[in-house]
Amino acid sequence: MQARGPLMIEHRLIERMISVIKDVVTEIESKHEVDPVFVDTAVDFIRVYADQTHHGKEEDILFRDLKKKSLSTEDQRLMNELIEDHVFGRQTTKALVEANTRYRNGDETALAEIADNLKTLIDFYPKHIEKEDKVFFPASRIYFSDEEDQAMLPEFWKFDRKMIHEKYKSVVEGLET
Ligand SMILES: [Fe+2]
Ligand SMILES: [Fe+2]
Protein backbone atom coordinates (compact mmCIF):
# COMPACT_ATOMS: atom_id res chain seq x y z
CA MET A 1 0.00 0.00 0.00
CA GLN A 2 1.19 3.50 -0.78
CA ALA A 3 1.47 5.91 2.14
CA ARG A 4 -1.58 7.83 1.04
CA GLY A 5 -3.67 4.62 1.34
CA PRO A 6 -4.44 4.88 5.06
CA LEU A 7 -5.23 8.59 4.69
CA MET A 8 -7.70 7.84 1.91
CA ILE A 9 -9.30 5.05 3.95
CA GLU A 10 -9.75 7.56 6.78
CA HIS A 11 -11.39 9.97 4.33
CA ARG A 12 -14.07 7.34 3.67
CA LEU A 13 -15.02 7.20 7.38
CA ILE A 14 -15.06 11.00 7.60
CA GLU A 15 -17.44 11.03 4.61
CA ARG A 16 -19.74 8.57 6.38
CA MET A 17 -19.83 10.82 9.44
CA ILE A 18 -20.55 13.84 7.24
CA SER A 19 -23.47 11.95 5.74
CA VAL A 20 -24.86 11.26 9.25
CA ILE A 21 -24.46 14.96 10.13
CA LYS A 22 -26.32 15.86 6.93
CA ASP A 23 -29.34 13.81 8.03
CA VAL A 24 -29.27 15.44 11.47
CA VAL A 25 -29.22 18.92 9.92
CA THR A 26 -32.34 18.03 7.92
CA GLU A 27 -33.94 16.90 11.19
CA ILE A 28 -32.93 20.10 12.99
CA GLU A 29 -34.61 22.09 10.24
CA SER A 30 -37.87 20.15 10.44
CA LYS A 31 -38.08 19.64 14.22
CA HIS A 32 -36.39 22.86 15.40
CA GLU A 33 -34.40 21.00 18.03
CA VAL A 34 -31.19 19.03 18.36
CA ASP A 35 -29.84 16.46 20.78
CA PRO A 36 -26.77 18.15 22.33
CA VAL A 37 -25.32 14.69 22.95
CA PHE A 38 -25.31 14.08 19.20
CA VAL A 39 -23.35 17.32 18.77
CA ASP A 40 -20.90 16.13 21.47
CA THR A 41 -20.41 12.86 19.57
CA ALA A 42 -19.90 14.66 16.24
CA VAL A 43 -17.42 17.06 17.86
CA ASP A 44 -15.53 14.17 19.45
CA PHE A 45 -15.29 12.43 16.06
CA ILE A 46 -14.14 15.58 14.31
CA ARG A 47 -11.63 16.56 16.97
CA VAL A 48 -10.12 13.21 17.84
CA TYR A 49 -10.45 11.29 14.58
CA ALA A 50 -10.63 13.82 11.74
CA ASP A 51 -8.37 16.46 13.25
CA GLN A 52 -5.91 14.97 15.75
CA THR A 53 -5.55 11.52 14.18
CA HIS A 54 -6.09 12.23 10.48
CA HIS A 55 -4.97 15.83 9.96
CA GLY A 56 -2.29 15.05 12.54
CA LYS A 57 -0.73 12.42 10.30
CA GLU A 58 -1.02 14.66 7.25
CA GLU A 59 0.64 17.61 8.93
CA ASP A 60 3.18 15.90 11.19
CA ILE A 61 4.35 13.24 8.73
CA LEU A 62 3.31 13.77 5.08
CA PHE A 63 3.49 17.57 4.97
CA ARG A 64 6.58 17.55 7.20
CA ASP A 65 8.38 15.36 4.65
CA LEU A 66 7.10 17.44 1.74
CA LYS A 67 8.47 20.60 3.39
CA LYS A 68 11.95 19.10 2.86
CA LYS A 69 11.33 18.89 -0.92
CA SER A 70 11.26 21.72 -3.39
CA LEU A 71 7.63 21.76 -4.40
CA SER A 72 6.28 23.41 -7.54
CA THR A 73 4.57 26.75 -6.92
CA GLU A 74 1.17 25.14 -7.43
CA ASP A 75 1.85 22.19 -5.10
CA GLN A 76 3.21 24.56 -2.45
CA ARG A 77 0.16 26.78 -2.80
CA LEU A 78 -2.16 23.81 -2.44
CA MET A 79 -0.33 22.45 0.60
CA ASN A 80 -0.65 25.87 2.30
CA GLU A 81 -4.33 25.88 1.42
CA LEU A 82 -4.82 22.42 2.95
CA ILE A 83 -3.12 23.56 6.17
CA GLU A 84 -5.40 26.62 6.26
CA ASP A 85 -8.39 24.31 5.68
CA HIS A 86 -7.38 22.34 8.78
CA VAL A 87 -7.29 25.58 10.80
CA PHE A 88 -10.71 26.54 9.43
CA GLY A 89 -12.08 23.12 10.45
CA ARG A 90 -10.79 23.66 14.01
CA GLN A 91 -12.34 27.13 14.24
CA THR A 92 -15.71 25.85 12.99
CA THR A 93 -15.65 23.00 15.51
CA LYS A 94 -14.83 25.46 18.32
CA ALA A 95 -17.79 27.66 17.31
CA LEU A 96 -19.99 24.54 17.22
CA VAL A 97 -18.94 23.58 20.77
CA GLU A 98 -19.68 27.10 22.03
CA ALA A 99 -23.13 27.13 20.40
CA ASN A 100 -23.88 23.66 21.81
CA THR A 101 -22.97 24.81 25.33
CA ARG A 102 -25.31 27.80 25.00
CA TYR A 103 -28.10 25.58 23.64
CA ARG A 104 -27.65 23.09 26.46
CA ASN A 105 -27.92 25.96 28.95
CA GLY A 106 -31.31 26.89 27.54
CA ASP A 107 -30.45 29.45 24.86
CA GLU A 108 -32.64 28.34 21.93
CA THR A 109 -31.19 31.00 19.64
CA ALA A 110 -28.01 28.89 19.61
CA LEU A 111 -29.81 26.24 17.52
CA ALA A 112 -29.35 28.24 14.31
CA GLU A 113 -25.65 28.57 15.05
CA ILE A 114 -25.35 24.81 15.64
CA ALA A 115 -27.07 24.17 12.30
CA ASP A 116 -24.89 26.75 10.52
CA ASN A 117 -21.65 25.29 11.84
CA LEU A 118 -22.76 21.74 11.00
CA LYS A 119 -23.63 22.94 7.48
CA THR A 120 -20.22 24.56 7.18
CA LEU A 121 -18.60 21.22 8.05
CA ILE A 122 -20.83 19.34 5.58
CA ASP A 123 -19.77 21.75 2.87
CA PHE A 124 -16.10 21.96 3.86
CA TYR A 125 -15.01 18.35 4.39
CA PRO A 126 -15.99 16.81 1.02
CA LYS A 127 -14.23 19.64 -0.83
CA HIS A 128 -11.12 19.33 1.33
CA ILE A 129 -11.05 15.55 0.88
CA GLU A 130 -11.50 15.83 -2.87
CA LYS A 131 -8.58 18.28 -3.14
CA GLU A 132 -6.39 15.75 -1.33
CA ASP A 133 -7.59 12.53 -2.97
CA LYS A 134 -7.83 13.77 -6.53
CA VAL A 135 -5.18 16.47 -6.71
CA PHE A 136 -2.66 16.87 -3.90
CA PHE A 137 -1.94 13.26 -2.94
CA PRO A 138 -1.24 12.11 -6.52
CA ALA A 139 0.69 15.31 -7.34
CA SER A 140 2.86 15.13 -4.22
CA ARG A 141 3.71 11.44 -4.69
CA ILE A 142 6.29 12.29 -7.36
CA TYR A 143 8.53 14.04 -4.79
CA PHE A 144 9.15 10.76 -2.94
CA SER A 145 11.11 7.69 -3.87
CA ASP A 146 9.31 4.37 -3.20
CA GLU A 147 11.46 3.98 -0.05
CA GLU A 148 10.53 7.43 1.24
CA ASP A 149 6.86 6.80 0.56
CA GLN A 150 6.90 3.44 2.35
CA ALA A 151 8.84 4.85 5.31
CA MET A 152 5.82 6.97 6.20
CA LEU A 153 3.63 3.92 6.86
CA PRO A 154 5.31 2.76 10.11
CA GLU A 155 5.28 6.38 11.26
CA PHE A 156 1.54 6.54 10.62
CA TRP A 157 0.96 3.38 12.70
CA LYS A 158 3.08 4.77 15.50
CA PHE A 159 1.13 8.03 15.39
CA ASP A 160 -2.19 6.14 15.52
CA ARG A 161 -1.05 3.99 18.43
CA LYS A 162 -0.46 6.98 20.69
CA MET A 163 -3.89 8.50 19.95
CA ILE A 164 -5.94 6.11 22.09
CA HIS A 165 -3.76 6.94 25.10
CA GLU A 166 -4.03 10.68 24.49
CA LYS A 167 -7.78 10.44 24.06
CA TYR A 168 -8.42 8.69 27.36
CA LYS A 169 -5.83 10.73 29.22
CA SER A 170 -7.79 13.83 28.17
CA VAL A 171 -11.08 12.16 29.25
CA VAL A 172 -9.67 11.59 32.76
CA GLU A 173 -8.18 15.10 32.88
CA GLY A 174 -11.54 16.55 31.84
CA LEU A 175 -13.28 14.70 34.68
CA GLU A 176 -10.64 15.71 37.21
CA THR A 177 -11.08 19.44 36.65
FE1 LIG B 1 -6.38 17.36 5.18
FE1 LIG C 1 -7.24 14.34 4.64
Side-chain angles (χ1 to χ4, degrees):
M1 179 162 47
Q2 297 204 38
R4 67 180 189 260
L7 299 175
M8 293 177 73
I9 290 167
E10 288 166 8
H11 284 166
R12 304 290 80 80
L13 191 64
I14 295 169
E15 284 168 346
R16 285 167 62 190
M17 188 62 184
I18 290 299
S19 157
V20 171
I21 295 174
K22 221 180 246 176
D23 292 343
V24 170
V25 167
T26 308
E27 243 181 69
I28 294 175
E29 283 169 345
S30 63
K31 295 186 181 160
H32 306 289
E33 61 178 21
V34 71
D35 178 0
V37 177
F38 170 79
V39 179
D40 289 340
T41 306
V43 164
D44 182 73
F45 177 87
I46 292 162
R47 281 190 166 162
V48 180
Y49 187 79
D51 194 36
Q52 290 165 26
T53 307
H54 177 76
H55 296 162
K57 288 201 289 300
E58 289 174 347
E59 292 186 8
D60 293 4
I61 300 167
L62 176 64
F63 297 175
R64 174 205 65 194
D65 283 0
L66 282 167
K67 281 176 187 162
K68 296 173 195 157
K69 308 285 179 183
S70 64
L71 301 191
S72 73
T73 314
E74 177 51 21
D75 292 338
Q76 184 63 56
R77 187 201 63 74
L78 188 51
M79 186 162 79
N80 294 344
E81 189 179 302
L82 295 170
I83 294 167
E84 282 164 26
D85 281 357
H86 293 173
V87 174
F88 176 76
R90 274 166 218 140
Q91 288 165 345
T92 307
T93 310
K94 188 167 178 266
L96 176 62
V97 170
E98 284 163 5
N100 198 37
T101 303
R102 283 176 35 223
Y103 184 77
R104 190 175 250 134
N105 292 337
D107 178 0
E108 288 192 14
T109 65
L111 184 64
E113 258 174 76
I114 292 175
D116 283 348
N117 284 300
L118 289 174
K119 279 188 214 163
T120 302
L121 291 171
I122 294 168
D123 179 61
F124 156 77
Y125 264 106
K127 287 181 191 156
H128 179 77
I129 286 173
E130 192 174 344
K131 275 190 261 182
E132 292 180 340
D133 280 357
K134 302 230 168 97
V135 187
F136 190 72
F137 288 171
S140 61
R141 176 62 184 85
I142 59 160
Y143 297 103
F144 297 120
S145 66
D146 289 348
E147 290 72 26
E148 287 172 322
D149 182 70
Q150 289 302 295
M152 281 186 266
L153 284 170
E155 282 206 84
F156 284 170
W157 309 141
K158 200 173 150 199
F159 192 95
D160 283 349
R161 265 205 307 274
K162 74 174 192 212
M163 289 314 302
I164 190 82
H165 301 286
E166 287 191 4
K167 158 75 186 167
Y168 286 100
K169 191 171 157 233
S170 84
V171 167
V172 173
E173 280 170 357
L175 293 170
E176 283 170 343
T177 51

